[in-house]
Amino acid sequence: MAKIRGAVTVNSERCKGCNLCVVACPCDVLDLMKKEVNNRGYHFAYMAAPEKCIGCQSCALVCPDACIEVYRVVEK
Amino acid sequence: MENNDIIKIENRVYKKPSLLNDSHMHYCPGCSHGVVHKLVAEVIEELGLQEKAIGVSPVGCAVFAYNYIDIDWLEAAHGRATAMATAAKRLMPDKLVFTYQGDGDFAAIGTCESIHSCNRGESIAIIFINNAIYGMTGGQMAPTTLLGQKTATCPYGRRADLNGYPLSITPLLAQLDGTRYVTRQSVHTPANVRKTKAAIKKAFQNSMEGKGTSVVEVVSTCNTGWKLSPEKANQWMVDNMFAKYPLGDLKNVDAEKKD
Amino acid sequence: MNDQVTLMKGNEALAMAAIRYGADGYFGYPITPQSEVLEKLEEEMPWETTGMVVLQAESEVAAINMVYAGASCGKAVFTSTSSPGFSLMQEGMSYMCASEVPALVINVMRGGPGLGTIHPSQADYFQACKGGGHGDYHPIVLAPASVQEMADFVALGWDLAFKYRCVSLILADGLVGQMMEKVVLPEQRPRRTEEQIREQCPWAVMGRKDMRPKNIITSLELDDDKMEANNHRFQATYREIEKNEVRYELVDTDDCDYLMVAFGSMARIAMKTMEMAREEGIKVGLVRPITLWPFPSQIIAEVAQHVKGILVPELAAGQMIEDVKLAVECKLPVAHFDRLGGNVPTPDEMLKALKEKLINA
């Protein structure tokens, strides 16, 4: 059976750490950096559990700063 | 499969629209404006209207929309965006002309222009961001501020006897003969973002086809003005705003014709 | 050559001259005593011939912002109004000057303040010439004294506006707007094509054809240093206009002992007054400012060197007289004569004032 695998990249300098992507993700993939901040001082988002990502784009759709690119492959 | 195997151009299914440039947007973290800007850029790209689009930005938080979306822009005086759009569209009927306005701009100081532009049926698209507060000036009462909602100029909550009632302007516009498509959307969930994008696309197509006025109200959050986290602001919007400003199409002449 | 003489009102001449200029659009709101501009345009239906847009807006506020948009798109657009309406347009005037867009605005003045009267006045001189809105700005102010000049200044106003990327204001009064006179209208010019506008106005908002860099028309600049630089650029333009565009008419100034400085319909009455004065052996000359801004200070100062005194007749309680006094640095008597509230003086009244205030003073 085909399995969908996804991944996202976050433009960490553009990210403002609003957390809306973390909330929108149905698979609990994303989180905000706990300590690390970007140049503007925001705890930016990252893939905390990359193996769970299904590339559904929910995070990217709700991202107000268009920081997220989404990739998806179907594993045969 | 490792992440690096997945993150390849050929596997990319979502990216920032190229019309939305790399400038750092001045909006607060979690602000709905960013999402709607992104949708505007996406729709213009998808319709191939990069060379024909003219935006009119308002006075309010979105005043600098012209810095972020790489099309031609007019920056209107407070409330006068639809008057400017009227002239631009009449003088250049082959262009996509849209306004991008907040609740103060569209429904307080600009109410006269808003109503008359819609009533004349100008073939412009109006994107109306309703977050029930004045964001840019620091959180004062908007025409759409809810009863009981606290702002800097109604610090104990809006009272009908002191401040009047919140203005739901979109249903009023739907009654006008000049409007072709009037809808109320939001961008707080992925599904709602998709619906809002479809609404903006329809509004822009109506402008290009000279079909009359389209109004897309986006019920939005202002988490800074509301003094909530972005996540809690979304919840507050669902719990409080949607009762007064319910989502959905208020008028869609094309759909009615099909029936 | 088109030299066909027709008889029409000043307001109608404005409308006809605009169509003939190849105007792209008119946006206005009815107000007495200038409503014939919009009425004539609607009657002529130029959208059927030249493709010009004509729209009755919901207010003067909307109208001026429609003009602001059209001008920002490089189009030849204009509006007309009368004093109370012009007050409502001041915000737009300021924005257009700040955005450096070329527009034509017409104010056919009536008596104020407030709703005032519907009859002629010149009491918007300060508002027109000194910046009626906020910030440091100037429109070029043209003062027609005949129906022919109403027609001629439409083209002149637009030509200057496009040359300097500024606002031209035709400051007429209700008398010039309402009176009928002979006029020769200009030849019909074609409206500019989009390509021609893109070439003439590369800054215009018309969409990013061939994905050229985006154009933004805005009056906003939050960086103080950049806004100061913007202001310096505006002022440099104004100095250039002051250098090149001062216009005036001299009547009998070579041998005069007394001088009058008057514009618009008051200049017409002044000319009759001068005739009557000459019959009595009193030699009076006239400087008629055609541009109220830039003001013809230099020529007034020159003529003033050989006269005994100056009378400034105005349909206002002493507005232009300030500029006359500045021009002559108060080196000689400068007297004022007015009728207010929509009243217009007879030449007899003006001659009497000349004698009382200047000759026998």
Side-chain angles (χ1 to χ4, degrees):
Chain A
M1 195 181 131
K3 189 186 173 202
I4 294 170
R5 286 288 310 276
V8 304
T9 59
V10 177
N11 181 337
S12 57
E13 285 309 318
R14 202 175 160 98
C15 176
K16 294 173 183 161
C18 73
N19 205 47
L20 289 178
C21 58
V22 178
V23 177
C25 177
C27 304
D28 295 324
V29 174
L30 297 167
D31 205 349
L32 298 186
M33 287 296 205
K34 291 288 177 283
K35 286 185 178 165
E36 200 178 332
V37 295
N38 63 17
N39 278 336
R40 291 175 190 270
Y42 293 121
H43 295 282
F44 52 89
Y46 75 109
M47 287 183 88
E51 70 285 355
K52 295 185 188 170
C53 181
I54 54 169
C56 73
Q57 310 171 41
S58 292
C59 55
L61 282 166
V62 300
C63 174
D65 290 282
C67 317
I68 300 175
E69 288 194 350
V70 184
Y71 300 82
R72 187 167 52 181
V73 290
V74 182
E75 274 186 348
K76 302 250 165 69
Chain B
M1 191 179 260
E2 292 298 310
N3 258 1
N4 286 344
D5 299 323
I6 304 171
I7 299 172
K8 288 178 179 162
I9 293 290
E10 63 267 28
N11 297 333
R12 189 164 66 191
V13 290
Y14 193 100
K15 71 175 186 69
K16 177 174 77 65
S18 56
L19 279 185
L20 191 68
N21 61 35
D22 290 330
S23 303
H24 186 84
M25 292 199 279
H26 71 284
Y27 300 115
C28 303
C31 176
S32 309
H33 274 304
V35 181
V36 183
H37 279 28
K38 187 174 63 176
L39 297 181
V40 168
E42 283 176 7
V43 170
I44 293 171
E45 279 184 20
E46 286 172 23
L47 295 176
L49 295 173
Q50 295 92 325
E51 299 188 13
K52 294 200 164 190
I54 294 172
V56 186
S57 67
V59 170
C61 282
V63 67
F64 287 126
Y66 56 72
N67 283 337
Y68 308 132
I69 302 174
D70 286 340
I71 56 169
D72 275 11
W73 284 92
L74 302 168
E75 208 309 280
H78 199 15
R80 315 296 166 227
T82 59
M84 291 193 85
T86 291
K89 182 66 181 177
R90 288 205 176 212
L91 290 161
M92 296 177 290
D94 63 321
K95 304 289 188 276
L96 164 67
V97 181
F98 70 94
T99 71
Y100 187 108
Q101 303 174 260
D103 40 49
D105 197 85
F106 185 72
I109 194 168
T111 312
C112 180
E113 285 79 2
S114 302
I115 288 178
H116 281 281
S117 300
C118 288
N119 193 51
R120 283 192 304 262
E122 303 294 345
S123 289
I124 58 174
I126 296 166
I127 297 170
F128 163 40
I129 307 294
N130 175 10
N131 59 13
I133 205 161
Y134 282 48
M136 172 162 272
T137 43
Q140 294 84 9
M141 184 178 68
T144 51
T145 294
L146 299 174
L147 288 177
Q149 186 184 344
K150 290 176 182 172
T151 74
T153 50
C154 50
Y156 307 107
R158 181 175 193 158
R159 272 171 52 180
D161 60 335
L162 290 178
N163 313 112
Y165 296 93
L167 174 61
S168 181
I169 194 171
T170 315
L172 204 146
L173 302 175
Q175 292 178 35
L176 304 176
D177 292 336
T179 49
R180 182 83 175 197
Y181 175 54
V182 181
T183 189
R184 193 187 266 138
Q185 302 293 337
S186 77
V187 290
H188 67 300
T189 69
N192 289 94
V193 172
R194 285 198 170 95
K195 282 187 191 168
T196 301
K197 182 174 172 180
I200 292 172
K201 187 175 260 180
K202 179 163 183 57
F204 283 9
Q205 284 168 328
N206 282 349
S207 171
M208 287 309 290
E209 290 165 20
K211 282 182 166 178
T213 314
S214 301
V215 184
V216 180
E217 175 179 349
V218 184
V219 183
S220 301
T221 64
C222 175
N223 57 75
T224 302
W226 296 356
K227 300 179 171 58
L228 296 168
S229 70
E231 187 187 344
K232 284 182 176 158
N234 273 344
Q235 193 55 50
W236 192 89
M237 175 175 73
V238 172
D239 294 343
N240 297 278
M241 295 273 282
F242 290 171
K244 176 72 186 171
Y245 307 113
L247 305 185
D249 285 356
L250 291 98
K251 181 181 190 179
N252 185 352
V253 173
D254 297 295
E256 286 156 20
K257 275 183 183 163
K258 276 180 204 155
D259 288 345
Chain C
M1 261 300 282
N2 171 27
D3 52 2
Q4 196 190 342
V5 178
T6 45
L7 184 70
M8 64 174 70
K9 282 187 173 192
N11 289 334
E12 293 169 336
L14 291 169
M16 293 306 296
I19 297 171
R20 296 284 180 95
Y21 183 79
D24 296 302
Y26 172 91
F27 305 90
Y29 187 78
I31 180 171
T32 309
Q34 64 75 51
S35 298
E36 293 85 358
V37 181
L38 176 56
E39 288 170 5
K40 187 72 181 171
L41 287 169
E42 295 284 3
E43 186 189 314
E44 289 291 315
M45 299 200 292
W47 54 90
E48 300 281 353
T49 51
T50 70
M52 176 187 173
V53 170
V54 180
L55 180 61
Q56 178 170 336
E58 61 269 39
S59 69
E60 286 92 347
V61 174
I64 195 74
N65 284 285
M66 290 170 181
V67 169
Y68 180 20
S72 302
C73 300
K75 301 282 183 173
V77 289
F78 75 122
T79 187
S80 61
T81 186
S82 181
S83 307
F86 190 54
S87 289
L88 286 172
M89 292 184 177
Q90 294 310 306
E91 180 193 39
M93 293 288 290
S94 172
Y95 279 58
M96 289 195 291
C97 290
S99 303
E100 298 170 289
V101 295
L104 179 66
V105 177
I106 298 159
N107 177 6
V108 182
M109 292 179 281
R110 62 188 243 184
L115 272 176
T117 79
I118 57 169
H119 294 125
S121 168
Q122 297 177 326
D124 302 348
Y125 178 91
F126 282 156
Q127 191 183 35
C129 300
K130 310 293 180 185
H134 58 283
D136 278 318
Y137 74 87
H138 281 293
I140 294 175
V141 184
L142 301 167
S146 64
V147 172
Q148 186 62 54
E149 282 190 340
M150 289 287 252
D152 294 346
F153 289 0
V154 167
L156 175 63
W158 259 316
D159 288 346
L160 292 173
F162 277 99
K163 180 177 177 187
Y164 294 101
R165 281 183 67 177
C166 69
V167 179
S168 289
L169 172 64
I170 295 178
L171 192 69
D173 56 63
L175 210 155
V176 183
Q178 288 297 325
M179 69 186 181
M180 292 184 89
E181 277 187 330
K182 292 182 295 185
V183 59
V184 178
L185 294 171
E187 294 276 2
Q188 179 68 52
R189 294 195 340 191
R191 285 175 55 236
R192 292 162 303 155
T193 62
E194 181 171 327
E195 286 65 39
Q196 287 170 325
I197 295 174
R198 284 184 185 276
E199 187 154 334
Q200 183 189 6
C201 310
W203 44 265
V205 164
M206 307 187 88
R208 294 179 63 193
K209 189 162 183 266
D210 302 325
M211 289 316 275
R212 62 143 167 74
K214 66 179 168 183
N215 283 340
I216 300 166
I217 296 291
T218 179
S219 62
L220 178 70
E221 178 49 71
L222 291 181
D223 182 319
D224 294 351
D225 290 335
K226 285 184 185 167
M227 195 62 212
E228 186 175 43
N230 286 355
N231 268 281
H232 285 151
R233 192 176 63 249
F234 306 155
Q235 293 302 319
T237 302
Y238 299 151
R239 297 298 86 75
E240 196 67 16
I241 293 169
E242 285 173 333
K243 201 171 77 187
N244 302 333
E245 306 301 344
V246 173
R247 285 169 168 76
Y248 53 84
E249 182 188 7
L250 300 180
V251 185
D252 296 343
T253 50
D254 290 344
D255 66 340
C256 63
D257 296 319
Y258 297 94
L259 178 67
M260 289 203 277
V261 181
F263 71 96
S265 56
M266 277 303 245
R268 300 277 292 258
I269 298 162
M271 282 189 242
K272 181 66 187 172
T273 305
M274 287 155 60
E275 253 178 60
M276 292 159 61
R278 291 258 165 182
E279 284 167 17
E280 295 182 26
I282 308 166
K283 290 192 258 181
V284 185
L286 173 74
V287 176
R288 177 172 76 89
I290 290 172
T291 52
L292 297 175
W293 192 91
F295 192 69
S297 302
Q298 199 181 331
I299 191 68
I300 292 170
E302 281 169 24
V303 176
Q305 285 176 357
H306 66 81
V307 303
K308 296 171 189 164
I310 302 176
L311 183 73
V312 183
E314 294 180 77
L315 295 175
Q319 298 195 17
M320 184 174 72
I321 191 173
E322 292 189 3
D323 285 330
V324 177
K325 283 181 175 177
L326 280 172
V328 301
E329 296 171 335
C330 297
K331 286 174 184 162
L332 68 163
V334 180
H336 176 72
F337 168 65
D338 66 40
R339 289 301 304 271
L340 304 174
N343 278 317
V344 177
T346 62
D348 288 315
E349 283 177 73
M350 198 181 282
L351 183 58
K352 187 161 164 264
L354 183 74
K355 289 176 184 169
E356 280 175 7
K357 292 177 182 241
L358 224 49
I359 300 171
N360 305 324

